Amino acid sequence: MGSASSSYRVIYLDVDGRIQKVVFSRFCSPCDIKELFCSAVGVPRNTNLSLLDSSGAMVSIDPTMPYNTERSPYRVVPVTGGQLADKEELFQNALTQVAEQFSRVFKINELKTDVTNRLAMLEKRVELEGMKVVEIEKCRSEIQKLREEIASQNNRTFLEDSKKLIPHRDVPLYPKYHLSKDTIEALRLPTFDAWQWEPNEMLSCLEHMYHDLGLVKDFNINPITLKRWLLCIRENYRNNPFHNFRHCFCVTQMMYSMIYLCNLQEKFTQLDILILMTAAVCHDLDHPGFNNTYQINARTELAVRYNDLSPLENHHCAVAFQIFSQPECNIFSNFHPEAFKQIRQGTITLILATDMGRHGEIISSFKQKIDSFDYTDEEHITCLKMVLIKCCDISNEVRPMEVAEPWVDCLLEEYFTQSDREKAEGLPVAPFMDREKVTKPTAQIGFITFVLIPMFETVMKLFPQIEEVMVQPLRESRDQYEERKQTDEAVNKVQRKKTETLTMEGEK
């Protein structure tokens, strides 16, 4: 499915006994932040400052400096010393930044996205500081040269330092595991237990699925490229409690299972099967562990970039196709441009459909088509594929309880981490994510009853064969959580009575 933190920092200063609040962007340079502090203190902006915390320790003035509160403001101490020449020093720094950026173009093989961001900030800074027209034009000329050099690198992808999208050519491939006949058969069933498998073994299973479905042969996919692509996919899933590579594998394995269970290869084209499998593999790439609601409320970089419209799902799509843009990982390299365009559009459509904010819209559309479903109608097929990936994405409860329940614990851990951060940042907290309000039985009963069972029962109208192996396990899971809820309520009732009795005896 970028940092999830806010783009702004708030620091409190003690200015002669008065608390001064200072807000700045995390993209500001240390020099910019120092000038803000100088303005807050009321000293010339080129004055050297020392920042001390409550214990007297010096604090570094930079965008990553520790947060503080009004109760623990930093004390600002002006330091006497040489004064900096104001505009001349600023202009010299600007030219130095341009020279450094220009130099990097020739010294490194891979340019970074932050080059473009720094250039934009530099240009604004030059204009805001009111330099002479000649100086501005000279600086812009340097900027233009650097931009032209960047544009000439047509075959490169500009990525943040933290986005290591591809393995190097010399990275060893994962070991090839021989899958037993029992494992191959189990892979086709919804009951498959992914907890028993290591990451490298799951990679071999995914590789087997692409071969077994005939995708490698039918589309002339290079087997070595397939291996490198899958390895790169694994490296671009974060180690979140829930949204991790094992979740990616489970969703893809459930899709593989449904393809066989529902005989989809008889109803879909092989291109549709390829899109279903690839979207499942890529659907949560680089998920940060905090959902769309947090991204939007916290105004994160992802939310700003995608205008609050499915920011995570759009990010998953972008990372997926950044990976495909690398020759070593492009399993579609042999495709005609029109075919690749169809794969790209189909994959994006399915990944965007995994946004639970669109759940009602997608299910409603599918229900309108179900009674007169037409496999020759492209709109009907697309809607069915969207529903299928949604089913697979949230299908854990279809599996046996001993396989499904650990996933509930993982999801709640991720939810509680988010709600703790939301409380700390003063953001709204959803009740179903609040560790003080939610219990496992109540969370699961509602989700299974109102989301999972209605969706799978709707799909069952088109594929009756899923009732026994998918819908019935959901009903049984709901009933088990209902029993747990009743047991928990009975235990709580007894404990309350004991507490009341002890309280009454104490008063006597």
Side-chain angles (χ1 to χ4, degrees):
M1 290 161 273
S3 173
S5 63
S6 174
S7 295
Y8 293 90
R9 282 181 175 265
V10 178
I11 296 296
Y12 295 92
L13 304 178
D14 181 351
V15 182
D16 297 330
R18 174 174 56 85
I19 302 302
Q20 177 68 51
K21 177 180 179 182
V22 180
V23 181
F24 57 86
S25 167
R26 65 185 180 87
F27 296 112
C28 285
S29 67
C31 182
D32 294 331
I33 300 171
K34 183 180 78 68
E35 290 180 1
L36 275 176
F37 288 173
C38 286
S39 298
V41 177
V43 298
R45 63 182 179 181
N46 58 352
T47 302
N48 289 331
L49 300 177
S50 288
L51 213 58
L52 305 178
D53 63 14
S54 56
S55 67
M58 294 187 68
V59 180
S60 172
I61 301 178
D62 59 61
T64 61
M65 61 193 301
Y67 290 103
N68 65 352
T69 65
E70 290 185 71
R71 296 182 178 180
S72 59
Y74 293 140
R75 185 161 55 89
V76 185
V77 179
V79 178
T80 59
Q83 299 295 313
L84 300 176
D86 206 0
K87 293 184 179 179
E88 292 79 1
E89 180 68 18
L90 177 62
F91 182 56
Q92 194 62 39
N93 288 341
L95 289 180
T96 300
Q97 289 185 35
V98 171
E100 290 175 353
Q101 296 287 351
F102 192 71
S103 175
R104 289 178 61 196
V105 174
F106 296 98
K107 291 182 180 179
I108 63 174
N109 294 324
E110 193 172 349
L111 295 176
K112 313 297 181 183
T113 48
D114 64 335
V115 172
T116 304
N117 294 335
R118 294 191 185 200
L119 291 175
M121 290 178 63
L122 177 59
E123 188 173 12
K124 289 181 180 178
R125 184 174 177 184
V126 170
E127 293 176 345
L128 291 174
E129 289 299 326
M131 290 184 173
K132 296 178 181 179
V133 175
V134 174
E135 295 171 335
I136 293 175
E137 290 304 319
K138 181 178 178 181
C139 204
R140 282 178 173 168
S141 175
E142 294 289 341
I143 292 171
Q144 185 60 33
K145 288 179 182 178
L146 185 52
R147 283 183 170 157
E148 289 172 358
E149 184 63 29
I150 293 173
S152 69
Q153 306 293 325
N154 293 325
N155 296 324
R156 298 188 183 277
T157 302
F158 301 109
L159 304 167
E160 297 176 5
D161 289 337
S162 59
K163 302 289 192 308
K164 297 181 180 178
L165 290 176
I166 65 169
H168 297 295
R169 292 178 184 271
D170 57 351
V171 172
L173 296 176
Y174 52 88
K176 175 66 177 179
Y177 293 93
H178 176 72
L179 303 182
S180 68
K181 182 178 179 181
D182 290 343
T183 298
I184 290 173
E185 291 177 356
L187 270 174
R188 296 185 178 184
L189 301 176
T191 54
F192 189 83
D193 184 0
W195 295 111
Q196 306 299 321
W197 299 82
E198 295 299 322
N200 284 340
E201 295 173 321
M202 290 188 284
L203 286 171
S204 288
C205 289
L206 290 172
E207 184 183 353
H208 166 79
M209 295 176 199
Y210 270 75
H211 281 278
D212 186 50
L213 291 169
L215 302 177
V216 174
K217 179 180 178 181
D218 292 351
F219 295 108
N220 193 25
I221 296 174
N222 186 324
I224 301 301
T225 304
L226 177 64
K227 283 176 174 286
R228 290 193 177 279
W229 173 65
L230 289 173
L231 185 62
C232 188
I233 289 292
R234 186 190 70 181
E235 291 177 348
N236 282 277
Y237 272 93
R238 302 193 193 185
N239 293 323
N240 298 314
F242 184 91
H243 292 98
N244 50 40
F245 177 67
R246 194 176 299 275
H247 168 67
C248 154
F249 174 81
C250 287
V251 174
T252 308
Q253 186 273 325
M254 188 62 74
M255 181 66 77
Y256 177 69
S257 173
M258 292 195 76
I259 288 171
Y260 276 103
L261 184 63
C262 302
N263 300 314
L264 294 183
Q265 286 187 296
E266 297 178 5
K267 300 173 174 63
F268 288 172
T269 66
Q270 276 293 79
L271 194 64
D272 287 326
I273 299 297
L274 179 62
I275 290 171
L276 282 169
M277 290 293 292
T278 304
V281 170
C282 300
H283 83 283
D284 268 335
L285 276 168
D286 197 43
H287 196 298
F290 298 88
N291 68 14
N292 279 332
T293 300
Y294 175 82
Q295 304 296 324
I296 293 169
N297 289 339
R299 301 177 185 175
T300 66
E301 180 183 351
L302 288 180
V304 172
R305 180 183 302 164
Y306 296 112
N307 302 309
D308 294 348
L309 300 176
S310 302
L312 289 181
E313 290 70 28
N314 274 293
H315 180 59
H316 305 326
C317 292
V319 175
F321 283 93
Q322 284 173 334
I323 293 174
F324 286 132
S325 71
Q326 307 302 318
E328 299 88 346
C329 300
N330 185 11
I331 61 174
F332 305 129
S333 60
N334 294 324
F335 281 62
H336 187 277
E338 282 302 316
F340 176 76
K341 183 178 179 181
Q342 188 176 349
I343 290 172
R344 174 173 163 77
Q345 184 56 58
T347 303
I348 291 172
T349 298
L350 296 196
I351 294 177
L352 292 180
T354 62
D355 181 358
M356 286 302 292
R358 298 181 58 201
H359 180 79
E361 162 208 336
I362 294 171
I363 297 302
S364 176
S365 175
F366 184 60
K367 286 180 177 179
Q368 293 173 9
K369 299 174 176 61
I370 196 73
D371 292 332
S372 57
F373 195 86
D374 183 359
Y375 283 100
T376 64
D377 188 321
E378 188 62 33
E379 183 181 346
H380 285 213
I381 290 293
T382 299
C383 188
L384 174 56
K385 288 188 294 184
M386 293 166 71
V387 172
L388 287 173
I389 196 169
K390 284 180 59 60
C391 287
C392 296
D393 188 25
I394 54 177
S395 62
N396 286 323
E397 292 304 322
V398 168
R399 304 183 192 273
M401 180 64 81
E402 64 271 16
V403 179
E405 188 168 13
W407 283 112
V408 181
D409 297 327
C410 292
L411 185 59
L412 288 177
E413 181 183 348
E414 206 166 283
Y415 280 175
F416 293 159
T417 298
Q418 175 174 320
S419 63
D420 290 345
R421 176 179 285 193
E422 287 170 332
K423 291 175 183 178
E425 295 179 359
L427 300 174
V429 178
F432 70 89
M433 300 178 77
D434 192 336
R435 67 173 74 244
E436 299 175 0
K437 297 180 180 179
V438 71
T439 65
K440 189 189 299 185
T442 56
Q444 289 304 97
I445 291 169
F447 187 64
I448 296 172
T449 303
F450 299 110
V451 177
L452 291 179
I453 291 180
M455 179 171 66
F456 277 87
E457 285 182 339
T458 302
V459 175
M460 187 179 72
K461 293 180 180 179
L462 208 57
F463 304 109
Q465 60 267 43
I466 74 169
E467 179 173 17
E468 181 180 351
V469 295
M470 302 186 88
V471 179
Q472 189 56 34
L474 287 174
R475 295 167 180 160
E476 292 172 359
S477 178
R478 175 199 57 195
D479 294 343
Q480 289 186 53
Y481 279 115
E482 287 279 11
E483 291 177 5
R484 287 194 192 182
K485 180 184 177 184
Q486 293 174 6
T487 301
D488 290 347
E489 289 175 346
V491 170
N492 291 337
K493 185 176 181 180
V494 171
Q495 289 178 341
R496 283 197 301 270
K497 286 186 176 179
K498 287 183 177 180
T499 301
E500 291 173 358
T501 302
L502 290 173
T503 301
M504 293 175 64
E505 290 178 353
E507 292 176 349
K508 291 180 180 179

